[in-house]
């Protein structure tokens, strides 16, 4: 059997599957990745822009970058990789889709059990009191401030040096520990604590599969590593389920 056939077999027999997705899954929708060969952040170190200190010092620059990304994301659609995961979810009794992506495309494509580890770029909250805002922010009119406490409004995403939302992290860790099949899809597998989830799954007996355009630090630890485009490989696989 080829590795792809073995993976298909594993999906067919899985009672509990967890998938960790990263920016590579949204690349085919036209959202640049952070790292990798066509990485958006090649010019910058991600840590320099996406952190609370950078925001407090230069909220205009950080907001400009997020406003640009929001506009981009509003214009794109889910791709074959997102839809393939919707199909797989329908076939497996327990399925958890853990995503580091903040673009909402998994939900838009129809995935149901989605755990957002890094927040959602379309949401905003106060940097001081954490109060969420549903205001339609007009960033061209100036920086937005909180109606409750007057603090600066920031994107509701996780930045470097910040904790992940506790409930999301717990759900992700539980899914990793309980699954029999874990797929790491289109992520550089570098950013903690998400990067530990595949190892947690494997340590608890799961079969570990990775799909990526290039090797990552995880690749040598997997049971199967499939090199190539997520949208191509995973959507072809769904034809055989
Ligand atoms: P990265 O940009 O670090 O990695 C994207 C990965 O996707 C790379 O390993 C690419 O090789 C791979 N890739 C690109 N196109 C692909 C395709 N079509 N099919 C398969 N793989 C492809 O993105 P993440 O791993 O998601 O955090 O990054 C993790 C976190 O780092 C992000 O959530 C973000 C960033 O800091 C926050 O914003 C908190």
């Amino acid at each position: 059997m080829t590795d792809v056939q073995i993976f298909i077999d594993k999906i067919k027999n899985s009672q509990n599957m967890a998938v960790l997705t990263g920016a590579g899954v949204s690349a085919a929708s036209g959202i640049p990745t952070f790292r990798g060969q066509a990485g958006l952040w090649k010019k910058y170190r991600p840590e320099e822009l996406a952190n609370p200190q950078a925001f407090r010092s230069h909220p205009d620059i950080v907001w400009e970058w997020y406003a640009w990304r929001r506009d981009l994301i509003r214009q794109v659609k889910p791709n074959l990789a997102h839809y393939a995961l919707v199909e797989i979810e329908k076939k497996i009794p327990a399925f958890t889709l853990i995503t580091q992506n903040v673009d909402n495309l998994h939900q838009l494509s129809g995935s149901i059990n989605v755990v957002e580890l890094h927040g959602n770029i379309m949401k905003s909250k106060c940097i001081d009191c954490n109060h969420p805002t549903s205001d339609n922010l007009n960033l061209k009119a100036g920086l937005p401030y909180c109606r409750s406490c007057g603090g600066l409004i920031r994107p509701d995403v996780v930045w470097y040096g910040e904790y992940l939302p506790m409930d999301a992290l717990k759900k992700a860790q539980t899914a990793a520990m309980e699954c029999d099949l874990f797929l790491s899809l289109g992520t550089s597998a570098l950013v903690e604590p998400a990067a530990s989830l595949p190892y947690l799954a494997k340590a608890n007996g799961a079969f570990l599969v990775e799909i990526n355009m290039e090797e990552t630090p995880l690749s040598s630890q997997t049971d199967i590593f499939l090199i190539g485009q997520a949208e191509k490989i995973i959507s072809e696989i769904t034809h055989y389920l």
Side-chain angles (χ1 to χ4, degrees):
M1 275 213 278
T2 64
D3 281 352
V4 170
Q5 285 167 332
I6 294 171
F7 183 33
I8 291 168
D9 208 48
K10 289 284 176 191
I11 297 175
K12 281 183 173 168
N13 290 305
S14 175
Q15 295 302 308
N16 189 334
M17 180 174 181
V19 181
L20 172 67
T21 64
V25 168
S26 293
S29 293
I31 304 176
T33 58
F34 299 98
R35 305 175 190 81
Q37 279 170 9
L40 170 70
W41 284 358
K42 271 201 162 163
K43 282 193 287 184
Y44 307 95
R45 282 168 50 78
E47 298 84 346
E48 277 172 18
L49 267 186
N51 74 69
Q53 292 76 22
F55 184 71
R56 287 196 187 272
S57 317
H58 304 290
D60 46 343
I61 295 176
V62 177
W63 258 125
E64 190 182 296
W65 189 63
Y66 276 94
W68 173 75
R69 285 176 63 202
R70 279 183 174 184
D71 281 349
L72 177 77
I73 287 166
R74 274 195 201 100
Q75 291 164 34
V76 303
K77 293 194 175 71
N79 64 64
L80 289 176
H82 297 102
Y83 290 116
L85 293 171
V86 176
E87 290 312 307
I88 294 174
E89 180 167 22
K90 286 180 192 158
K91 304 214 183 302
I92 299 183
F95 181 91
T96 309
L97 205 176
I98 306 158
T99 189
Q100 299 163 88
N101 298 343
V102 294
D103 56 29
N104 212 41
L105 290 181
H106 286 304
Q107 292 90 332
L108 210 59
S109 63
S111 285
I112 295 164
N113 193 22
V114 182
V115 177
E116 286 180 321
L117 279 184
H118 291 168
N120 187 311
I121 197 169
M122 296 304 177
K123 296 183 183 162
S124 309
K125 66 177 182 183
C126 174
I127 195 166
D128 291 323
C129 72
N130 265 325
H131 195 77
T133 174
S134 53
D135 290 357
N136 206 353
L137 304 180
N138 177 9
L139 296 162
K140 291 198 176 97
L143 289 170
Y145 290 93
C146 177
R147 286 169 190 261
S148 309
C149 76
L152 264 172
I153 297 289
R154 55 165 283 181
D156 194 356
V157 295
V158 176
W159 281 335
Y160 283 88
E162 293 185 321
Y163 290 109
L164 271 60
M166 193 52 83
D167 55 337
L169 182 58
K170 270 196 176 152
K171 272 190 201 159
Q173 287 170 334
T174 304
M177 284 190 289
E178 292 181 351
C179 69
D180 52 49
L181 177 60
F182 190 101
L183 169 64
S184 176
L185 188 64
T187 171
S188 58
L190 285 172
V191 178
E192 291 292 354
S196 291
L197 294 169
Y199 297 95
L200 188 60
K202 194 167 166 66
N204 283 275
F207 191 85
L208 181 55
V209 180
E210 181 186 30
I211 302 176
N212 199 302
M213 297 267 278
E214 55 196 36
E215 272 194 35
T216 72
L218 181 67
S219 308
S220 62
Q221 307 299 311
T222 59
D223 294 297
I224 291 177
F225 171 55
L226 301 172
I227 193 158
Q229 292 169 317
E231 62 279 10
K232 192 163 178 291
I233 296 174
I234 197 75
S235 64
E236 276 174 16
I237 280 172
T238 57
H239 296 143
Y240 298 94
L241 297 179

